[in-house]
Amino acid sequence: MLGGDFNTILYDSEKKGGSPTGTGSCHFFQSLFQLKCMHDLQFHRPRFTWSRGSLFKHLDRIICNSEWASIFSDSIVLHLPKLSSDHRPILVRSNRLSSRNLNSRPFRFQVAWLTNESSRTSWLNLGTRISTI
């Protein structure tokens, strides 16, 4: 699953207003979906995720492959109200994402791990590896 501002539309219907010349749909983006069997997860209103003046577009989306779509088939994408950006935040909900094994406990970092020299070195090395990804 990947989500965010793709800065293009898939279909002409994902644009309202603005200049009548050039719809902004990207054929390369469309072919990527077809060739890689990607899915644009369906969303619940509002229809457009970005606006400026009288121009409205669906630029922000959640995409996934077929395997993810079948595992999380109950997923719902919500376009949340705009805050300080001209884009709407996106929220993905799924019962499979939110349910967890009741016997498992969530990970909790223990500050005491930093008092042991070998543990501290391991955590610092982990942070370095993560920041380079």
Side-chain angles (χ1 to χ4, degrees):
M1 176 191 54
L2 176 66
D5 174 11
F6 288 89
N7 209 31
T8 189
I9 59 175
L10 275 172
Y11 309 103
D12 295 344
S13 62
E14 295 180 339
K15 176 188 172 191
K16 176 181 154 188
S19 172
T21 60
T23 62
S25 64
C26 179
H27 298 291
F28 175 75
F29 196 45
Q30 291 171 344
S31 63
L32 175 72
F33 269 75
Q34 293 167 355
L35 291 173
K36 300 296 182 182
C37 299
M38 299 301 289
H39 298 268
D40 183 17
L41 293 181
Q42 297 304 308
F43 62 90
H44 292 266
R45 300 183 181 249
R47 183 173 161 198
F48 303 106
T49 62
W50 175 89
S51 66
R52 183 170 293 147
S54 63
L55 177 60
F56 299 86
K57 291 185 177 182
H58 180 184
L59 300 178
D60 307 272
R61 62 184 76 242
I62 303 292
I63 62 174
C64 66
N65 62 16
S66 298
E67 183 180 1
W68 196 95
S70 67
I71 293 171
F72 300 100
S73 59
D74 68 331
S75 295
I76 298 171
V77 177
L78 302 170
H79 296 164
L80 303 176
K82 285 191 214 177
L83 300 173
S84 60
S85 172
D86 53 359
H87 291 266
R88 292 181 175 273
I90 302 172
L91 176 67
V92 179
R93 285 193 173 165
S94 169
N95 289 333
R96 294 220 39 187
L97 288 172
S98 61
S99 65
R100 63 182 177 94
N101 185 342
L102 296 177
N103 295 327
S104 69
R105 294 177 21 176
F107 173 80
R108 297 207 198 297
F109 179 79
Q110 302 293 319
V111 177
W113 293 339
L114 295 178
T115 60
N116 178 299
E117 185 61 34
S118 65
S119 295
R120 182 173 51 234
T121 303
S122 295
W123 280 108
L124 293 174
N125 288 338
L126 176 64
T128 303
R129 286 193 310 258
I130 290 173
S131 66
T132 60
I133 294 176

